[in-house]
């Protein structure tokens, strides 16, 4: 199993251009956020009737999926898992409030499509294919790479 640093080194190969990096710093979190929104849009009656917590921010399919996502990150780095957990919590909270104002699934699809267009535009600028075309796990490395690059003291 590769270390987080090894993943980052390989991911960085196709993310050298400053414009592509800037696009990724916006679009990768937007895609993550929109996926959380899409998962929160799935009816969660089974979860809420089972748990009976009256806590819609955690009684939804996004929360369930994010628990498994965090297992992936814990295997790589506890510190990174904590950072992704904080970002995930912010996504859950923000999506909950967006859902109070408009149809969350429509909003999430719009963000998802626009962000992916941005991603492919960035890779067009870079002149290199997206990393996930080589290994699907890079879809999980992208958010960690953004967190590491935006919030590290390097």
């Amino acid at each position: 199993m590769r270390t987080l640093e090894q993943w980052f080194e390989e991911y960085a190969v196709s993310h050298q251009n400053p414009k592509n990096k800037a696009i990724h710093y916006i679009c990768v979190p937007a895609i993550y956020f929109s996926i959380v929104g899409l998962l929160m849009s799935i009816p969660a009656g089974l979860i809420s009737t089972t748990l009976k917590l009256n806590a819609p921010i955690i009684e939804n399919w996004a929360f369930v999926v994010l628990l498994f996502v965090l297992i992936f990150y814990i295997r790589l780095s506890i510190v990174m898992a904590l950072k992704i957990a904080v970002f995930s919590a912010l996504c859950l909270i923000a999506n909950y409030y967006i859902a109070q104002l408009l149809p969350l699934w429509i909003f999430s699809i719009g963000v998802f499509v626009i962000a992916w267009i941005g991603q492919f535009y960035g890779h067009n600028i870079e002149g290199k294919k997206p990393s996930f075309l080589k290994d699907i796990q890079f879809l999980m490395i992208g958010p960690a790479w953004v967190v590491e690059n935006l919030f590290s003291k390097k």
Side-chain angles (χ1 to χ4, degrees), residues 104-137:
L104 183 58
W105 69 274
I106 294 172
F107 175 81
S108 297
I109 288 173
V111 170
F112 186 85
V113 168
I114 292 167
W116 271 110
I117 290 169
Q119 289 284 87
F120 284 107
Y121 175 71
H123 279 286
N124 185 49
I125 292 169
E126 184 82 41
K128 294 186 180 162
K129 293 186 291 188
S131 300
F132 76 87
L133 294 175
K134 179 180 176 187
D135 187 335
I136 195 83
Q137 292 181 83

Side-chain angles (χ1 to χ4, degrees), residues 5-25:
E5 281 305 315
Q6 289 170 325
W7 281 109
F8 285 165
E9 286 172 17
E10 192 172 342
Y11 191 82
V13 169
S14 60
H15 300 87
Q16 296 294 312
N17 183 288
K19 287 181 184 174
N20 185 34
K21 282 179 160 181
I23 289 168
H24 275 64
Y25 294 155

